Each structure stands twice: as structure tokens, then as C-alpha cells.
């Protein structure tokens, strides 16, 4: 499909540019164990972890969600950097994209920025927006608007949003970004039908090829 060269590219973080699922699963299961709940498999974590913690934890833990949050972050911060890995060709793609780049993630903002610094990527991005940085979290337009601040974009300028889930595509549609899906959408068929991507690529190498062909 023919795409216009964008003036900026926004990215999701987890499972789009990096793999940190082991640390996420470990921290979530630490909280579930504390409250006597059944631990989640990695496939269940992949399927269920979409929205930000401040939206999902009240549903999972009810009135005790704030204490569960403390347990989660204590566990996560103890090992998330050691478990963090850039996805194949992520660094090559970021180096090739010669327009401003930013991140819109539902990972807590301070942890997102710590991970980018750990990978040596902080300088790659105009802005790193995580959960809690804007008034509302993805898929709401608020974090996308925050990511655009300072980019001097005009209303008709093309901006891509690259993500791996139906929620990412929903966020892209709602914030007037061109939705680019990496991977198979992780079973989000209904969301993807409602919020279809403008382009689907199997992996970051596929997106790098598209970029080089623009």
C-alpha cells in the first residue's frame, strides 16, 4: 500500500521496540500471589496487558489495587533493566528514520525513560510519554497530543503511530495518526476490524524496508 512520508513517527514501546515481558509477568504474578489469585501464564499476560496499570489494577484487585501497585512496581524495578532487550532491527529502524520520533506507551513514564536511557536511546526521541504523564492514558488522545508538543506540526502533517496491538491502532485513529501495525495484532481481531491499520508488517525489518522505499 502507498504511504506518504511522515513528518514524525510515534512508537509504542513494549513488544514494538523492546521485549520486557518476563519482568512484567514476574511483577504481575508477585502481586497476584500476594492476594491469593492465580498467576498468569506468559500467553495470558500477552493477551491481557494492554491498558495502563491505573486503569487495569482496580479491575483486578478492587479496593486493594493501590497496595497491589506497590508490590508490582517493587518487583518490576528490581529486575526490569536486566530483563530488557531491544527487538531485532529496532536500533536499525530508529537510526534510519530521519524525522522526529517519540514514544507513547502505557508503561509508567519514569520507567519508560529509564529503559530508554539504559538502551542508549534517549537521544533518539523528541519525547518519551508514558502512563501518568498525560491526564489520561492511551488509547485516549491526551498522551499523543503531549508527544507532539514542540514538534511544530501543522494540522495536515502526516504522523505515523507504530504499535503491535488493536489498542495501539485505536489510539492512532483517535489521535489522527496513520496506524502502522507490527506483528499479528496479538488476537485483537475485533479491535483491528474497528480500527484497521493503514499498513501491517510482520516485524521491524519489514517496516525498515518500507521506510527505505519511501
Amino acid at each position: 500500500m502507498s504511504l506518504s512520508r511522515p513528518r514524525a513517527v510515534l512508537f509504542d514501546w513494549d513488544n514494538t521496540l523492546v521485549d520486557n515481558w518476563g519482568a512484567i509477568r514476574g511483577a504481575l504474578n508477585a502481586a497476584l500471589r500476594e492476594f491469593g489469585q492465580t498467576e498468569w501464564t506468559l500467553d495470558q499476560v500477552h493477551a491481557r496487558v494492554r491498558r495502563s496499570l491505573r486503569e487495569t489494577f482496580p479491575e483486578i484487585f478492587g479496593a486493594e489495587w493501590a497496595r497491589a501497585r506497590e508490590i508490582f512496581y517493587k518487583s518490576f524495578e528490581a529486575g526490569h533493566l536486566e530483563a530488557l532487550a531491544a527487538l531485532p532491527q529496532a536500533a536499525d529502524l530508529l537510526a534510519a528514520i530521519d524525522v522526529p520520533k517519540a514514544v507513547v506507551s502505557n508503561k509508567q513514564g519514569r520507567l519508560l525513560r529509564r529503559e530508554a536511557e539504559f538502551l542508549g536511546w534517549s537521544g533518539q526521541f523528541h519525547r518519551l510519554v508514558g502512563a501518568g504523564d498525560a491526564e489520561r492514558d492511551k488509547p485516549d488522545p491526551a498522551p499523543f497530543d503531549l508527544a507532539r508538543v514542540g514538534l511544530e506540526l501543522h494540522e495536515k502533517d502526516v504522523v505515523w503511530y507504530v504499535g503491535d496491538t488493536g489498542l495501539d491502532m485505536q489510539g492512532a485513529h483517535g489521535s489522527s495518526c496513520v496506524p502502522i501495525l507490527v506483528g499479528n495484532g496479538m488476537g485483537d481481531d475485533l479491535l483491528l476490524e474497528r480500527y484497521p491499520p493503514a499498513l501491517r508488517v510482520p516485524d521491524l525489518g519489514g517496516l525498515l524496508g518500507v521506510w527505505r522505499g519511501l
Side-chain angles (χ1 to χ4, degrees), residues 119-130:
L119 292 171
W121 288 358
S122 296
Q124 290 275 5
F125 299 107
H126 162 76
R127 196 177 295 270
L128 291 144
V129 179

Side-chain angles (χ1 to χ4, degrees), residues 10-25:
L10 312 182
F11 288 91
D12 175 46
W13 186 248
D14 286 301
N15 212 48
T16 296
L17 293 175
V18 305
D19 181 353
N20 208 196
W21 285 113
I24 294 169
R25 181 194 177 206

Side-chain angles (χ1 to χ4, degrees), residues 6-198:
R7 286 288 307 277
V9 179
L10 312 182
F11 288 91
D12 175 46
W13 186 248
D14 286 301
N15 212 48
T16 296
L17 293 175
V18 305
D19 181 353
N20 208 196
W21 285 113
I24 294 169
R25 181 194 177 206
L28 179 58
N29 282 340
L32 290 169
R33 282 195 304 272
E34 179 68 19
F35 290 93
Q37 296 194 38
T38 302
E39 296 184 28
W40 292 5
T41 66
L42 191 57
D43 285 344
Q44 288 172 321
V45 175
H46 286 166
R48 298 172 181 175
V49 174
R50 294 285 193 275
R51 294 172 293 148
S52 65
L53 184 150
R54 66 175 169 177
E55 293 182 345
T56 57
F57 265 39
E59 297 172 1
I60 300 169
F61 298 102
E64 295 285 346
W65 78 271
R67 188 160 73 88
R69 176 184 58 191
E70 293 176 4
I71 296 167
F72 175 90
Y73 281 129
K74 181 178 180 180
S75 174
F76 186 77
E77 291 187 57
H80 74 117
L81 296 180
E82 291 77 5
L84 181 69
L87 288 175
Q89 296 198 273
D92 293 337
L93 177 64
L94 293 177
I97 293 177
D98 54 353
V99 298
K101 300 177 289 291
V103 170
V104 177
S105 170
N106 272 341
K107 174 168 278 175
Q108 190 181 63
R110 65 182 181 85
L111 299 176
L112 167 66
R113 289 182 282 276
R114 190 178 299 168
E115 291 182 3
E117 182 178 4
F118 178 80
L119 292 171
W121 288 358
S122 296
Q124 290 275 5
F125 299 107
H126 162 76
R127 196 177 295 270
L128 291 144
V129 179
D133 290 336
E135 183 178 354
R136 290 169 299 279
D137 299 322
K138 187 176 69 177
D140 190 272
F144 293 87
D145 292 342
L146 182 57
R148 288 180 168 103
V149 171
L151 288 179
E152 299 182 357
L153 296 169
H154 300 290
E155 185 177 346
K156 294 186 178 180
D157 284 343
V158 174
V159 177
W160 288 5
Y161 184 62
V162 180
D164 68 298
T165 69
L167 187 84
D168 292 329
M169 300 302 96
Q170 179 183 354
H173 277 266
S175 57
S176 300
C177 292
V178 176
I180 309 292
L181 182 68
V182 178
N184 61 14
M186 298 178 66
D188 291 343
D189 293 346
L190 292 178
L191 268 180
L192 292 174
E193 186 175 324
R194 185 174 181 184
Y195 304 103

